Amino acid sequence: MNSTCSSPEDYFFAGNRCLASGDAQGAEECFRHALALNPDFPEVLANLGFVKEQAGELSEAESFYRSSIELAPNGVQVILNLAAMLFDGKRFVEAEALYGQALRAEPDSPAAWSNYGVLLACLKRENEAENCYRKALSLDSGYLKARFNLAYILLRQGRLAEGWSCLEARDWYTRLESVLHFPRWRGEPLSGKSILIGCEVGHGDMIQFCRYAMLLKERGAEKISLLCHPSLVCLFRSLSAVDEVLSIGEELPETRWDFWTPPLSLPLYCQTRLETIPVSIPYLAADPERMARWLPLLPSVGLRVGLVWKGNPKFENDADRSLPALDTLSPLAAVAGVALVSLQKGPGEDEARNPPDGFSVLPLGEGFDDFADTAAVISGLDLVISVDTAVAHLAGAMGKPCWVLLPDYRADWRWLVDRDDSPWYPEVVRLFRQPSGGGWEPVVASVVEALRQWKHEPG
């Protein structure tokens, strides 16, 4: 605590300095001292709301935000903060009312229009959402968040030309750019050139878009290097068009390549449309040595079906895309002649070791060292059933039949809208979507029926 503080304003600014330095506890103490001296200080209330929200104390955060808004009803940023918090809690009606309040207070706010668009998009009011994003961009053509948000609408709808262009508004390559001191590829001729395909955060993104290496090779690239997560290095060595696979843990030379590119930029500069998605499948294969280790462990009889029911809990929509528990899939155990194998790595391993009564599943995932192990097991399966996570993309890239279970709320753009197939993995991936309003029970029932039909088992 700064002993020189004597006024509410002093404590307010001291609290802001604490916030900037990452001292949340010190910031809260300063803000509470400021309130003790002036209980009607809207900026202090707003900042306390922010501190509490970051700490996960959402009820207190809401109370502070609302008190601030009551004192300063035109404080747009505070209104947007509260609206976003309520939206995250799926309190959609209240959030929408707050966005309306923000837009009445500041109708020329690009942030308000863009944030409102995100809410509308998640409620599947996509035309309204698109109008919001375009309004934000009409107010500020350089407002990248609105352009990025618009990309998701366009890509979901298969409007790829503008969608890929808008996706370039993403800004998460700062760290990579700091160590790559050569030009980013933007469609220049590649004949005789070398190019480094950089790393995306998501393993699924890497698996889906590494296919573009073959298109770069067709354009004449002499050498293609691929930078990826350590857990993907062995798997990606099976890519025929890639000359070198590097791990993000390695030190990179500063000027070794002519160009570098993020994987997610490749569809733009390769002018990908729905009808021109590169679908030379399989483009990934299992390592023979890993197969020799894993295949003898698989069930010797029955239809061998791999299961993945949870993704990375840090993913923004994981609560909706992941199943709450393995027992959600219990009806699969009642299908005769099916041998279930757990591919679950990390969250869910404990459930695979101790499945619900009557649910027989072979827990192999806990023994995987990397995705090459996962690929080896998949190579010996007949089918993979997975939530929307990297394993679904791996099965698709290997040409292994894969049934993907999708949430109704915020299903990812790459699965498009109202389709039960995927142009990214044609005749390989089948989509099972939740009905409007959500719920996994009807999805699992559809999967059970599909399994029975596949085995020609009477219902």
Side-chain angles (χ1 to χ4, degrees):
M1 180 66 62
N2 190 334
S3 59
T4 63
C5 293
S6 59
S7 69
E9 290 75 15
D10 289 340
Y11 281 113
F12 172 64
F13 291 118
N16 288 343
R17 289 192 293 272
C18 288
L19 268 185
S21 67
D23 179 10
Q25 181 178 349
E28 180 175 351
E29 290 176 2
C30 287
F31 293 145
R32 288 192 181 277
H33 277 280
L35 277 189
L37 296 172
N38 179 7
D40 295 332
F41 199 146
E43 292 83 2
V44 169
L45 289 162
N47 284 7
L48 267 172
F50 177 79
V51 168
K52 288 300 182 182
E53 182 181 359
Q54 296 303 301
E57 299 171 29
L58 303 186
S59 180
E60 271 197 273
E62 180 178 349
S63 178
F64 283 124
Y65 280 145
R66 290 195 182 280
S67 294
S68 175
I69 293 168
E70 185 176 349
L71 291 167
N74 292 329
V76 169
Q77 187 56 59
V78 186
I79 297 171
L80 295 180
N81 288 351
L82 177 56
M85 191 180 81
L86 297 181
F87 164 53
D88 286 342
K90 296 186 178 179
R91 294 164 63 180
F92 302 125
V93 173
E94 296 168 89
E96 184 168 6
L98 284 166
Y99 285 129
Q101 180 178 344
L103 288 168
R104 287 191 296 274
E106 195 173 327
D108 292 337
S109 166
W113 282 109
S114 181
N115 290 7
Y116 183 32
V118 172
L119 170 68
L120 294 170
C122 291
L123 295 177
K124 298 185 179 179
R125 293 158 59 183
E126 294 191 356
N127 289 341
E128 295 175 76
E130 180 177 344
N131 290 338
C132 285
Y133 299 145
R134 294 195 186 279
K135 176 66 175 179
L137 290 169
S138 73
L139 294 166
D140 180 359
S141 61
Y143 193 66
L144 296 183
K145 289 182 179 179
R147 192 169 301 280
F148 177 78
N149 291 337
L150 177 59
Y152 270 62
I153 291 281
L154 298 171
L155 294 173
R156 270 174 52 80
Q157 295 179 356
R159 298 155 65 187
L160 301 189
E162 187 182 7
W164 298 130
S165 178
C166 288
L167 193 62
E168 290 298 284
R170 64 196 188 281
D171 59 355
W172 53 63
Y173 302 113
T174 302
R175 184 175 178 183
L176 191 57
E177 288 174 326
S178 69
V179 297
L180 300 180
H181 303 295
F182 43 93
R184 183 165 164 177
W185 186 64
R186 301 188 189 278
E188 295 91 343
L190 286 176
S191 182
K193 303 293 185 180
S194 61
I195 186 167
L196 172 69
I197 300 174
C199 191
E200 300 288 350
V201 172
H203 293 76
D205 289 331
M206 292 299 300
I207 292 169
Q208 181 179 0
F209 292 98
C210 69
R211 71 180 72 197
Y212 278 85
M214 65 181 113
L215 270 66
L216 301 185
K217 189 66 79 172
E218 290 170 4
R219 286 176 175 234
E222 182 175 339
K223 181 175 182 179
I224 299 176
S225 301
L226 178 60
L227 181 66
C228 63
H229 313 78
S231 60
L232 290 170
V233 170
C234 181
L235 172 68
F236 282 173
R237 286 182 180 141
S238 69
L239 285 162
S240 61
V242 170
D243 301 292
E244 179 183 40
V245 181
L246 304 170
S247 169
I248 55 174
E250 300 176 26
E251 185 173 349
L252 296 174
E254 291 189 2
T255 58
R256 182 171 170 183
W257 296 272
D258 294 302
F259 299 104
W260 78 276
T261 179
L264 279 170
S265 291
L266 289 169
L268 171 65
Y269 295 109
C270 291
Q271 300 181 337
T272 298
R273 306 295 181 262
L274 286 177
E275 63 276 8
T276 62
I277 291 173
V279 288
S280 180
I281 292 173
Y283 57 87
L284 290 175
D287 176 67
E289 291 185 10
R290 304 288 185 109
M291 292 169 66
R293 171 188 170 190
W294 286 105
L295 295 189
L297 303 180
L298 291 174
S300 58
V301 296
L303 188 74
R304 293 179 291 201
V305 178
L307 299 180
V308 178
W309 59 95
K310 286 188 180 295
N312 186 340
K314 295 181 180 179
F315 182 70
E316 61 179 357
N317 197 36
D318 189 64
D320 291 283
R321 65 138 180 196
S322 290
L323 303 185
L326 174 57
D327 63 9
T328 308
L329 295 175
S330 290
L332 298 182
V335 181
V338 172
L340 301 174
V341 178
S342 170
L343 306 177
Q344 197 66 50
K345 181 68 177 176
E349 285 182 19
D350 55 337
E351 295 181 280
R353 287 192 303 268
N354 302 284
D357 291 342
F359 195 122
S360 178
V361 61
L362 179 63
L364 294 185
E366 62 186 359
F368 295 165
D369 290 331
D370 58 21
F371 277 94
D373 285 329
T374 311
V377 172
I378 288 175
S379 71
L381 299 176
D382 298 296
L383 170 69
V384 173
I385 298 174
S386 175
V387 295
D388 179 13
T389 189
V391 175
H393 290 283
L394 175 55
M398 293 176 65
K400 184 65 63 174
C402 182
W403 296 354
V404 184
L405 316 181
L406 295 179
D408 177 55
Y409 182 66
R410 297 177 73 178
D412 196 79
W413 61 264
R414 71 200 70 210
W415 306 117
L416 303 173
V417 182
D418 299 329
R419 291 182 67 146
D420 61 7
D421 68 331
S422 170
W424 292 96
Y425 308 102
E427 300 181 12
V428 175
V429 162
R430 180 176 175 183
L431 307 178
F432 291 78
R433 298 178 183 269
Q434 285 184 343
S436 180
W440 289 115
E441 184 176 343
V443 175
V444 176
S446 295
V447 170
V448 166
E449 180 59 28
L451 264 180
R452 286 178 171 154
Q453 290 179 9
W454 202 9
K455 288 190 57 59
H456 306 289
E457 176 185 327

